[in-house]
Amino acid sequence: MKMTDSVDRPDGTADTGSGSSSSSSSGKTGSGKDGSGAGAPVRRRDARRNRDLLLEAAHEVFTELGLNAPLDVIARRAGVGNATLYRHFPHRAALVDAVFRDQLTGTMDAGDRARDVDDAWTGLTGYLQAVFTVLATDRGTNDLMTTHLEGVESLEAVHAHNHRTVELLLARGRHQGTIRPDVTTEDVLFALAALGRAVPALTKATTPDAWRRPLALLCDSLRAAPTSPPLPSPALTPEQLNDTLHHFNR
């Protein structure tokens, strides 16, 4: 984000931009070697340091309290003022995107690996276990993956990639005869989001890997079986799934 001198000046005063004021001042405030240009590298270093502090604090707070954690709590933990936070991240979505972009990219990498597995059942269950491992250890990522927060660019890409990964593996599994033919991508994504929302409370009350049992039960419900009765209809549409995820975040 581009910053102006009036925002970044260390003493908090605004630069008037007037040439006459600088020329009538002493060398301490004039332009050139001894003037404001000499302080620019310091201001840039301070800005980078503050941004790093904010990202570190935000990850800690989001992991502990979720994505709805008050932003002033993050600013205090970083040791900066609210104004500094908003200079770097003008809204919550921008901060969330900066904090979790790498972790969300890791989820997409897991999806790519799952797509490369020939056996659809192995690929799907391995992918879901990789996703839930993250959901169980990071409350912030859990909120992101199981709800829908507007304006987070990396999240939009992950949701699309996740949808396509599940869609491909389900289609392959139907062709291989291991996935029941009437289950849809929206069925699976809704069930995963609902279970994922319960993971923080489950692991807090029991053990860190307690999610493995309900996930195994969920996966087993996707298996093709000649005695399985047909699913009630209709299935969720993509639009209905998105609306549901929006409500999860309230």
Side-chain angles (χ1 to χ4, degrees), residues 52-229:
D52 291 343
L53 289 171
L54 283 165
L55 290 175
E56 181 180 353
H59 187 269
E60 292 175 357
V61 173
F62 286 147
T63 298
E64 295 168 9
L65 305 178
L67 296 185
N68 290 322
L71 296 185
D72 59 343
V73 172
I74 294 172
R76 285 199 302 271
R77 186 170 297 191
V80 302
N82 288 350
T84 299
L85 186 152
Y86 284 107
R87 277 201 300 272
H88 289 280
F89 307 103
H91 46 75
R92 183 182 297 270
L95 178 58
V96 168
D97 186 77
V99 170
F100 293 104
R101 180 176 290 273
D102 288 345
Q103 286 174 269
L104 293 176
T105 300
T107 300
M108 295 171 68
D109 292 339
D112 287 336
R113 290 192 295 272
R115 295 181 187 188
D116 289 337
V117 177
D118 290 334
D119 181 73
W121 182 259
T122 300
L124 179 63
T125 55
Y127 174 59
L128 299 184
Q129 288 170 7
V131 170
F132 269 72
T133 298
V134 176
L135 298 185
T137 56
D138 192 311
R139 170 72 183 277
T141 304
N142 186 301
D143 281 0
L144 274 178
M145 293 293 293
T146 59
T147 63
H148 194 98
L149 182 63
E150 294 286 353
V152 182
E153 294 181 4
S154 56
L155 179 61
E156 297 295 335
V158 168
H159 276 317
H161 191 277
N162 183 44
H163 187 284
R164 185 59 178 156
T165 297
V166 173
E167 184 177 52
L168 287 170
L169 292 172
L170 289 180
R172 189 182 303 164
R174 293 189 201 99
H175 179 73
Q176 293 174 350
T178 55
I179 301 291
R180 58 184 301 161
D182 53 351
V183 69
T184 69
T185 303
E186 284 68 36
D187 287 331
V188 175
L189 294 179
F190 170 74
L192 294 175
L195 177 57
R197 292 298 286 169
V199 164
L202 175 65
T203 55
K204 184 177 181 179
T206 55
T207 60
D209 62 349
W211 54 269
R212 294 185 181 277
R213 182 181 178 90
L215 179 61
L217 289 171
L218 172 59
C219 289
D220 196 56
S221 71
L222 305 177
R223 287 183 183 275
T227 58
S228 296

